[in-house]
Amino acid sequence: MPKEVVRKQEVESMRAADADRHKIAEQLKAALDEGRLSLLEYDERVRDAYAARTYADLLVLVDDLPRAGVSAEEVNARRLAEERKAARRLPTALMVLWTIYGSIAAINVVVWILVAITAEAVYPWPIWLLVPGVALGATTIGVQNIKKRR
C-alpha cells in the first residue's frame, strides 16, 4: 500500500479533539447559512460531529460540502475545468508509446551526432524516425478527437 494511503488511514483513525469537533461544527454552520444544508440535516450533522471519536467520523460529515464561501458557479466551473483537463490527458498506452518513441529518437540522434563528429559525410538516418512519429501523432490526434466527441 502506498505511504500516503497508509498515512491517511493512520490520521483518520486518530482520536479527534474538542477543537476539531468545533471546527467541523463551524463548517456545518457556514453550509447552513449558505443554504447547502437544511435545518434538519444541520442538526443531525452537528449532533454527529460532537459525538465523533475519530477524524474519519468528522470528515464524513463535510465530505459532500465545498469550502465555505464557494458559490455553485465556482464549484461547477472547477468541475468543468477538471473534466476538460481529463479529456486532454493522454491515455496511459499513448503516454507509454510516446515515452518509448522519444527515448529511441533521442538515442538515435545522439549516436548520429557522435558518428557525424568522428566520420565524414554521414547519412542523416535519424530522419527515418519521423515515419513512426507521424503515425503515432496521427493516432494521438484521432484518440483525442474521439474523446472530445464523447
Side-chain angles (χ1 to χ4, degrees), residues 23-146:
K23 187 175 181 182
I24 294 296
E26 287 176 0
Q27 282 182 285
L28 293 170
K29 175 70 170 119
L32 174 68
D33 293 343
E34 292 175 351
R36 298 184 192 281
L37 294 175
S38 68
L39 191 55
L40 179 63
E41 286 178 304
Y42 170 74
D43 286 339
E44 290 172 359
R45 290 187 189 204
V46 167
R47 182 184 63 239
D48 293 345
Y50 283 111
R53 292 184 179 198
T54 64
Y55 285 111
D57 297 337
L58 286 174
L59 294 175
V60 167
L61 300 172
V62 293
D63 273 349
D64 62 338
L65 299 173
R67 281 189 344 261
V70 176
S71 69
E73 293 88 21
E74 291 172 315
V75 171
N76 286 333
R78 287 181 187 165
R79 183 182 50 77
L80 288 173
E82 288 174 10
E83 287 175 2
R84 283 190 208 114
K85 185 177 177 183
R88 283 192 310 259
R89 191 174 306 132
L90 286 178
T92 304
L94 281 175
M95 289 296 293
V96 169
L97 289 174
W98 275 110
T99 302
I100 292 169
Y101 172 76
S103 302
I104 290 171
I107 290 169
N108 275 277
V109 168
V110 168
V111 169
W112 178 78
I113 289 172
L114 292 174
V115 170
I117 291 172
T118 59
E120 296 177 20
V122 178
Y123 176 74
W125 46 268
I127 200 157
W128 288 102
L129 292 172
L130 291 176
V131 174
V134 169
L136 187 55
T139 303
T140 302
I141 291 169
V143 168
Q144 292 299 83
N145 284 336
I146 291 169

